[in-house]
Amino acid sequence: MALDNVKCTVDSCKYWKSEHCNASAIEVNVDAGVNDPNKADMTNCHTFERK
Ligand code: SF4
C-alpha cells in the first residue's frame, strides 16, 4: 500500500510517484553527523533506492 500522505520531492527514487511516496513503509534516520537533529535537513529517508 502506498504512503499517500507522505509527500516527497526525491524524484530519482524508485518509490517516488507524483510528488508522493509509493513504498509500503519507509525508514527515516538522523543524518548530517549529528545525534540530536533540530532541522529537517538533518534527517534523511534511508528507504531511498535509485531508479
Ligand atoms: S522511499 Fe523515501 S525518498 Fe523514496 S519516495 Fe519514499 S519517502 Fe521519498
Side-chain angles (χ1 to χ4, degrees), residues 1-8 19-23 26:
M1 186 170 69
L3 302 174
D4 291 336
N5 293 321
V6 177
K7 184 178 178 183
C8 180
E19 310 297 335
H20 287 84
C21 181
N22 205 35
I26 59 171

Side-chain angles (χ1 to χ4, degrees), residues 6 8 10 13 15-16 20-23 26 45 47-48:
V6 177
C8 180
V10 186
C13 177
Y15 297 113
W16 184 88
H20 287 84
C21 181
N22 205 35
I26 59 171
C45 177
T47 307
F48 168 87

